[in-house]
Amino acid sequence: MRGVVFAGERQIELMDFPDPAPGPGEVVLEMKASGMCGSDLGPYRAPKGGSSSALGLGAAAGPVVAGHEPCGVVAAIGAGVEPRQARIGDRVMVHHYKGCGLCPHCRTGWTQMCDSGSTVYGMTGHGGHAALMKVPASTLVPLPESLSFTTGAAISCGTGTAYGALRRIDLSGNDTIVIFGQGPVGLSATQLARAMGARVLALDPSPERRARACAFGAFASLDPRGNDTIQAIRDLTHGRGVDLALDASGTPEGRSGAVRSARKWGTVCFVGEGGNVTIDVSPEMLRKQLTIVASWTFSTVGQAECARFIAERGIAVDDLFTDRWSLDQAAEAYRLFDRQTAGKGVFLM
Ligand SMILES: [Zn+2]
Ligand SMILES: [Zn+2]
């Protein structure tokens, strides 16, 4: 089979890999949809040879198939996999990490935090941008019947990450939330926060992305590069600042803006990957009794809960996707995504 590989320096290679066969406890999926996530841009933009280690999640020995939002059907089952774990034809998402299975983090479904280190599919282990993908049966999360494979792909990282963050900060219909960055994670957060009843204020430098956020229910949108963005946010919240602020931009400016726009006793959540931030601690945190939370993806249980939430409310997650690609078009797909003005892309097999 052919798989999409990040070769570094914004190069994509379609490489040949042997078709995987399931070992004990494993299954092979026939991929149906494999999403493009903002965190792909780290390995995509990395120097030659640095792609698998770009996010500080370990490194791979050789080239790996990209794609950490895998969704498909079970096509082959290895020894020792029970029917209640997987049957041929099951529609499934993958929780895209493998840990030791025994430490407290693995036992509670947070295998990405495994004490022995984890494999991250699409980064340090073969991911979903190929016809087939081999994973332990324990990584499978059922895809509800009413959800499409593309929605399942989104839930497998970007949308699931947005859901996990909103749950971490206990968002409710009482809240006004500002969301810095309206890429796939930020836009999902806008859509889900609306479904949870909150007022959403969306920020992004791209006018296309701001327009999409408003179409998804944001009551206002702002360009964060403006001189008085924080004052504009205060003006939209009767001078108080927002109850909750989420940074999905991964930029120092977005994080700082999130901290400064939160009200007294407010909560800030950092979701965007990489880089740093400078905070003037006394005025920006202490005097406001601020809470800052970091949120990294979700557990296997959280992924299933996110899928259920979306299925029960009929949320149009597929509207996130502006581009549907074949694997042959991977170079063009990532070139467009790299500009960070489009919506979400997905490979269909
Ligand atoms: Zn573990
Ligand atoms: Zn991701």
Side-chain angles (χ1 to χ4, degrees):
M1 68 176 191
R2 289 175 319 148
V4 173
V5 174
F6 296 127
E9 293 177 4
R10 293 181 159 87
Q11 298 298 304
I12 293 285
E13 281 181 35
L14 265 175
M15 294 180 65
D16 282 318
F17 294 89
D19 284 1
E26 294 176 331
V27 299
V28 168
L29 306 183
E30 184 186 318
M31 297 306 305
K32 296 292 187 187
S34 185
M36 297 167 70
C37 180
S39 57
D40 287 341
L41 294 176
Y44 178 69
R45 294 168 176 171
K48 293 266 180 206
S51 289
S52 71
S53 57
L55 292 182
L57 298 167
V64 289
V65 178
H68 63 271
E69 296 189 337
C71 192
V73 298
V74 176
I77 293 180
V81 176
E82 291 181 39
R84 60 198 183 117
Q85 285 180 288
R87 294 171 196 263
I88 300 288
D90 280 355
R91 303 167 81 250
V92 291
M93 302 177 282
V94 174
H95 185 256
H96 63 273
Y97 310 94
K98 181 177 102 174
C100 74
L102 294 171
C103 75
H105 309 293
C106 285
R107 284 185 188 278
T108 52
W110 292 93
T111 45
Q112 63 269 51
M113 298 171 67
C114 177
D115 285 334
S116 307
S118 68
T119 300
V120 183
Y121 296 113
M123 297 279 178
T124 63
H126 292 316
H129 291 356
L132 301 169
M133 180 180 182
K134 182 178 76 169
V135 291
S138 58
T139 66
L140 300 181
V141 179
L143 181 68
E145 203 52 50
S146 64
L147 300 187
S148 67
F149 290 114
T150 45
T151 288
I155 292 168
S156 297
C157 190
T159 298
T161 292
Y163 181 83
L166 297 177
R167 298 290 291 140
R168 278 290 299 278
I169 57 178
D170 279 332
L171 178 115
S172 82
N174 284 329
D175 296 317
T176 296
I177 184 171
V178 65
I179 301 172
F180 283 79
Q182 293 293 314
V185 172
L187 191 58
S188 287
T190 294
Q191 189 177 36
L192 292 169
R194 284 296 300 137
M196 294 171 186
R199 282 172 94 219
V200 179
L201 177 50
L203 277 81
D204 199 282
S206 155
E208 294 96 324
R209 287 186 164 181
R210 289 200 300 276
R212 208 168 287 125
C214 290
F216 275 54
F219 79 93
S221 71
L222 294 168
D223 183 341
R225 295 168 303 185
N227 285 334
D228 43 11
T229 305
I230 305 304
Q231 188 55 48
I233 293 171
R234 285 214 187 91
D235 291 345
L236 288 164
T237 52
H238 309 285
R240 293 166 68 228
V242 291
D243 305 296
L244 303 170
L246 186 139
D247 176 65
S249 75
T251 64
E253 299 78 19
R255 290 180 184 127
S256 170
V259 166
R260 288 183 294 132
S261 59
R263 66 166 168 81
K264 291 173 181 172
W265 300 102
T267 297
V268 174
C269 185
F270 290 165
V271 171
E273 288 270 357
N276 48 43
V277 63
T278 301
I279 297 170
D280 194 350
V281 170
S282 289
E284 294 179 359
M285 287 185 68
L286 272 60
R287 302 292 168 262
K288 297 204 297 188
Q289 309 274 14
L290 196 70
T291 301
I292 299 185
V293 174
S295 188
W296 179 31
T297 60
F298 41 80
S299 68
T300 49
V301 176
Q303 185 170 351
E305 183 189 304
C306 175
R308 194 166 57 240
F309 180 87
I310 286 165
E312 286 174 349
R313 283 156 188 79
I315 298 171
V317 171
D318 279 342
D319 290 353
L320 290 170
F321 293 101
T322 50
D323 299 285
R324 291 166 171 80
W325 307 98
S326 68
L327 292 175
D328 295 331
Q329 298 172 300
E332 187 189 347
Y334 277 100
R335 210 170 332 149
L336 183 71
F337 192 48
D338 189 35
R339 293 213 291 263
Q340 295 194 276
T341 56
K344 193 174 174 73
V346 62
F347 294 99
L348 301 177
M349 290 76 175

